[in-house]
């Protein structure tokens, strides 16, 4: 009898925790939308970018589609048309609405999307509240996935908004209250050395609790001796590359990189503008002078690779990066709770000291690696629509590691594999150098 | 003394009339925006389409730029950045903001644009109120031009909105209250015959009061005997073309037309959808069944020409159309005042009777002609930026005549020359046949 | 008896003449190919350009398809696959081979295409030889059409070859033996004045003998007083436009013209190259210095129109051009026989004197007009595949008049309407100014 | 004295061998061109494809540029313009001629290119003949590289020619004399199993003699247990995938793969055509029925990956492939001498028996792997222009292994890394499956 009660309590606790976590993440998304004007929710400046309204609807659709519609008996879709509008890319679930047309959807209005969120949240909290052990074991993984999914979209929401605002000649700020930071000399980068050998990388669910399918299974890799720069490349470092003619000299570039430089007319990182002989950059706080002591950001992998060639170094592989991060004795390093992203996308100058040798591994800029985004040995695509989450994108993209200033802190993991095309620059992406030893 | 007073009274009256007219047209624009949600103001679904917000800002920019900034001493621009954002294509005035990016401008917000309108209106009314004879002779033509310009944009606002809404799978209605109309058999089209000879066409400012530069000068043309269909081609007529394989048979089509049919996959007019074996069309009142008795609308000149070939007829030249319209004894036929567009874009079925033989010349659909849009003999491009209004577009476009159900009634003229590319379909464009006699 | 003999003689004569004419035109084509290396026959540098091999095969296909296959009992196609390969655009005859892929056809070889020509010529001459009155009345118009068609392709062959060679950094000459011509000052252009009134234009078959369908019917047009420059715009004239910033100043340009200037990076006519501060041009005789006294050539209609705006003049309409040419008392002016094109495409300096006031109307450069290429009043598309010859291209193109130095002299007519897109520059196209009087 | 003589003999022998090898490879290229008509040398059907004439000139340019011009005192370039025309992509050497324009070069003619070959060969043989030990140590590696480079182009020459001929509706055969092969049932594929562990892969120059930079350095990799199919996927296997709706079902495809299927309209491997319900394929011997017992060929990596997903298997990594090939006890397996490519591109049916378990690893089809083409640990880009040979292409491409029926037999190596984009199909590329154990 007492045991039954205990089990019930446990269930109750688990449910309460789940509900609390659910509310926390969902609230964080809406908190991020606080500074937006109604008009800001609808803009799409390129096919890769989604309007804020779409992000907040799509994350809701995820819970409705994969939780409510499957686990709530007799559930009726909030509005059946939304199933088409807010499906991102799950083709086994149905034909998604055209991605480049997301900016065409003036309806549903922002208010209608918030009402959709509210209705789904209410039903979700009821589902969580009612759940017994059996149902809980089935929904908990999906809810956890849905919340991590939502955290990814929190980052994208800010990333996409920055892109959208940057195309407006008024250069509006997302938040006017972001502080200007003082510059200081960050000095030369040092090097942390690592011995070669057989290492384990990838997520260990027993320790990490949660990880995406693409971080699994944990497996062995062989590495040769290597060293990693103890900090990311700074704006000052990168300016030396620019000033040395980096964007005019093909020999530093991959063939595709050079073709892109010429086709796009690249002369500096994305969001940099030359005004009266000075470099400025567009930030979520509006136009600001380029801070020489901050990590360079919004560079493509092509630029990262060219910079490394110019510096007679190379980019790390993702295995090297992960092994180094493990050695730094933290497997995850939550920067802050929930939505309070690090100053909402405003890059900090380099830390001057650090307790584990490698400065700013997490939470400043995503660091491009030399590794293509492919399957780990033994990787299996999960069954069902959730199987489309990661695996089908394993072509043509490169891995980034570490998380950025717009990544929710508790969404960052040592084993986390982010991935984008080598030409992509609108993410908060930077560079850390490596070399053979 | 009395004479001076009389002149003053005249001036006073002229100013009052100008102010009244100004208010009337400006109000009409805002009236048209009444049914819009805030979100609807920002959507741009193709480069040719402008967001509603852009239309209401650009028409305001026109008065600020060409009137206030030139005739109000010490005038300071409301916001100097707007001069770049809301310049459409006046390259001699400055570099316009990129047309395909108009949908990227979440700021200024709708409220900010309305505030801009209000400020410019106030300054304009003050300018009009203060004006003496001398200044009036200079500003009146520009104000008149600005108001006709605004009326053009009233039509475009609805035209573009229809395009925008049509790309939303929810197919939202601009106005839900547009009535469904009863169908009836419109019968065979009859023919009105006209003798060949030397005719005058083009605007006569003494009679017409106002006309665009491209309608001038009035000049002589020689025509051979011809006949014009006494009504536009109906949906029923056009369905016979479709059912006879019109879209599958190259021999009816101009070479460019056929290439477009294949490239675009055209199988029916724009906005037509086949549902369960029936043809529906998207209207400003939402999805409606195709009304066989209404004029066919949203066809390109390629389709108009192919239909005419299939029917063993041809399209009229613009001179034929104008001569016929003159013979119909009305040079202009205001359908209604100001903004009360004909049911706001809902096409009426064919009239069954008419007092001048030619039914529905004005205010149903723009009628494609066989004439390229080129300069009239003796045409002169006006000096200054206003010279960019019409002349520079005299390449590659075809003339349409008559006005449509979204043209403000008092903006329609017999000599009016509308022009679009032969592949364009998003205008309210239809077909009237002609033949040699 | 004598009468029968006379008729026979007439028939005999008519046949002999037809045969002679056939041989003459066919030989001319092959004469033009004389200077080509085998490799030169296959190059296609843009979709508008066809390889020389294709021209000589397609003109042969025309006779096989529209003559032999229809009028020779039991005729078997030389190679049935050729019917697909060498059909240009007659979609009612069958699906033509893809135009941009014409350069992919290494087979049939040049020798095989010549064998095809020889076989068709033999059969054609036999057909002509055997023909009685009845058959002659049916085939003669088609043979005449086929020969004019072949003459058009003689011009295109050289025009396309020039384009092909210009893309080779070796800048090979079609003929090395083309003379360099001495420069001289051509002086200011004079003006020939014409009274307005009702004029007849278009081909009169009783006088002209042959004309394309698009030159018919002869019909009345009303013209106002006008004047035509007595010579084409010279390279010296055009250099003044370039030096005055003509290619950098949008106000001279049609909107589409200016967009093209920017998109294509135009800074001078096609084939002009700046070398050590001097302008050179690629010619069929290789690279030559720009001759200031020669007519400017290889300009688009956009450039012609911009030049005219800059010069405060305009382009003539095609009716004005034709009326002026009629007044010059020659309806046609054969420059020379058959294939001996005027120095094979090498432009002469301006004539210093002329017997009819208008210098160089014919045979120097095609002169862009202000007229869109549309149907004459009463134009009828002929029945059958031949109906695709001209009518279906009446969209988006502009008329050129007068013939160029690569037009066979006996292919030039006063009423001849050539037509190309306003952006096209690879034809031998130039400018003659007009103005209102 | 005797020792000096011995050294001289060695030098003589080395020189003689080098000369013999040089002649052998150069002759092989010309032998492959034997069946070509002059016209076949110039065709370029897509930017990836080069004309045969370009291949034979470019391989010559390689020797002239990197050997003659650097090691022959006072050497004068055969024709300086060729340095621009026949440079492929060595941007540090100069601006290469535009790749997509290679088909525009009717000059130099085929005969002129052969004369260029002859002149360079004469100078090369003289250089080799005169060389002493010192010079030999510097030129031998470059000559060896040049010959391997030429062998690559031998393969490309046939590969590109097949593409060119396939675009000609006449479907010409490269060689009519290629035998039709008898079909037979190849049975189910078996599996060869391999234990996981630490392995060495990459070229060992002491054993292999020569390898490209990208195969080096030899290095350790850790593999888990795996199995490899003992034969490539056959046409019969692949037909089962097609018949099961493989090209209509997105769930088997990578996201980019599916987008490509839809954009390109793929329904079968490249060169397959459906005629009267039967599958045919275009071969270098003309159109032939698809042989069910031959390896499937001309599939993209997207198709290879989709096939593997459908078959519940995966593609091997390049390390797995190489380890398996090493186990098969041959590090290289020359199929035949020089140019006598395996029936010049005609695929053989599957072998029915094999002495090492794995059938047809070499010389049938290039086998797509799951590995992106990236740098091996410790890879260094060589100095000078030769450094552009491989490294700058390490982005976006996938590795293929094993060599195909158009690879010169003595050009095949176990460590050889071929690389193409995952969408490429015009190479002789096929599939071998793998699975975890």
């Amino acid at each position: 009898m007492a045991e039954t009660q205990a089990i019930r309590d446990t269930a109750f606790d688990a449910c309460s925790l789940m509900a609390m976590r659910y509310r926390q993440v969902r609230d964080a998304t809406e908190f991020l939308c606080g500074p937006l004007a109604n008009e800001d929710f609808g803009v799409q400046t390129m096919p890769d970018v989604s309007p804020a309204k779409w992000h907040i609807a799509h994350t809701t659709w995820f819970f409705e589609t994969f939780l409510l519609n499957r686990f709530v008996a007799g559930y009726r879709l909030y509005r059946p048309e939304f199933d088409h509008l807010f499906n991102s890319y799950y083709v086994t679930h149905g034909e998604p609405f055209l991605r480049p047309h997301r900016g065409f959807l003036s309806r549903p209005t922002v208010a209608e999307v918030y009402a959709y969120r509210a209705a789904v949240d209410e039903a979700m909290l009821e589902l969580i509240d009612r759940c017994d052990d059996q149902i809980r074991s089935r929904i908990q993984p999906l809810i956890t996935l849905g919340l991590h999914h939502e955290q990814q979209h929190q980052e994208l929401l800010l990333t996409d908004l920055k892109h959208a605002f940057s195309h407006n000649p008024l250069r509006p700020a997302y938040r006017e209250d972001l502080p200007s930071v003082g510059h200081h000399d960050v000095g030369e980068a040092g090097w942390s050395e690592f011995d070669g050998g057989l290492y384990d990388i990838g997520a260990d669910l027993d320790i990490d609790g949660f990880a995406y399918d693409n971080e699994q299974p944990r497996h062995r890799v062989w590495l040769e001796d290597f060293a990693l720069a103890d900090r990311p490349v700074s704006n000052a470092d990168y300016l030396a590359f620019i000033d040395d003619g980096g964007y005019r000299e093909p020999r530093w570039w991959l063939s595709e990189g050079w073709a892109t430089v010429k086709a796009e007319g690249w002369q500096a990182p994305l969001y940099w503008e030359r005004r009266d002989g000075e470099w400025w950059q567009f930030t979520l706080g509006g136009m600001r002078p380029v801070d020489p002591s901050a990590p360079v950001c919004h560079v493509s992998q092509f630029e990262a690779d060219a910079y490394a060639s110019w510096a007679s170094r190379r980019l790390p592989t993702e295995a090297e990066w992960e092994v180094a991060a493990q050695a730094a004795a933290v497997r995850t390093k939550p920067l802050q709770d929930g939505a309070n992203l690090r100053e909402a996308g405003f890059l900090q100058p380099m830390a001057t000291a650090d307790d584990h040798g490698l400065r700013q591994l997490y939470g400043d800029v995503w660091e491009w690696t030399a590794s293509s985004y492919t399957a780990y040995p033994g990787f299996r695509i999960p069954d069902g629509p959730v199987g489309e989450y990661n695996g089908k994108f394993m072509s043509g993209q490169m891995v980034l590691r570490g998380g950025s200033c717009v990544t929710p802190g508790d969404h960052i993991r040592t084993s986390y594999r982010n991935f984008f095309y080598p030409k992509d620059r609108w993410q908060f992406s930077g560079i850390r150098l490596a070399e053979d030893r």
Side-chain angles (χ1 to χ4, degrees), chain A residues 91-273:
Chain A
V91 290
T92 59
H93 177 73
E95 180 77 13
F97 182 65
L98 291 168
R99 183 180 184 114
H101 287 198
R102 287 177 187 167
F104 295 172
L105 301 175
S106 63
R107 316 286 180 91
T109 63
V110 175
E112 287 166 347
V113 166
Y114 271 105
Y116 175 42
R117 279 185 79 86
V120 165
D121 283 350
E122 190 182 322
M124 278 298 299
L125 290 169
E126 199 178 326
L127 170 65
I128 292 170
D129 188 50
R130 273 178 312 158
C131 76
D132 58 16
D133 280 17
Q134 196 193 354
I135 195 89
R136 188 159 54 83
S137 71
R138 294 171 63 200
I139 69 170
Q140 182 146 14
L142 284 166
I143 291 176
T144 303
L145 179 64
L147 294 175
H148 279 275
H149 171 258
E150 180 131 1
Q151 288 189 301
Q152 279 189 282
H153 279 277
Q154 289 167 6
E155 171 160 358
L156 290 174
L157 194 151
L158 291 182
T159 305
D160 291 355
L161 209 59
K162 184 172 182 175
H163 194 266
F165 281 165
S166 78
H167 277 71
N168 191 326
L170 305 178
R171 300 285 188 272
Y174 162 67
R175 277 173 47 184
E176 298 282 2
D177 63 344
L178 296 175
S180 269
V181 288
H183 312 162
H184 63 272
D185 185 350
V186 297
E188 289 288 299
W191 293 91
S192 295
E193 306 204 353
F194 299 88
D195 290 332
L198 203 55
Y199 289 97
D200 284 331
I201 67 163
D204 181 342
L205 291 190
D206 290 339
I207 296 173
D208 296 311
F210 172 83
Y212 287 129
D213 53 2
N214 63 5
E215 303 165 49
Q216 304 173 51
R218 193 160 173 87
H219 63 284
R220 284 166 287 190
V221 291
W222 177 264
L223 298 180
E224 303 296 330
D225 298 348
F226 70 99
L228 227 57
D230 73 344
R231 62 164 176 79
V233 169
S234 70
N235 283 326
D237 296 337
Y238 200 81
L239 275 162
F241 170 65
I242 295 176
D243 291 344
D244 193 40
Y247 284 91
R248 295 190 305 270
E249 178 53 70
R251 73 183 152 138
W252 309 123
W253 296 80
L254 289 163
S255 185
E256 287 192 336
W258 183 242
T260 307
V261 165
K262 286 191 294 184
E264 303 291 330
W266 288 351
Q267 303 190 41
L270 184 63
Y271 301 135
W272 286 34
E273 296 178 25

Side-chain angles (χ1 to χ4, degrees), chain A residues 374-395:
Chain A
T374 50
Y376 278 170
F379 171 70
R380 289 263 171 271
I381 289 186
D383 291 332
V386 168
E388 294 190 60
Y389 202 92
N390 277 313
K392 74 177 182 181
F393 301 111
M394 289 175 173
S395 179

Side-chain angles (χ1 to χ4, degrees), chain A residues 355-366:
Chain A
D355 57 352
H356 53 67
L358 290 167
R359 287 179 278 171
Q360 289 163 294
L361 269 181
Y362 303 105
D364 292 271
V365 288
W366 285 102

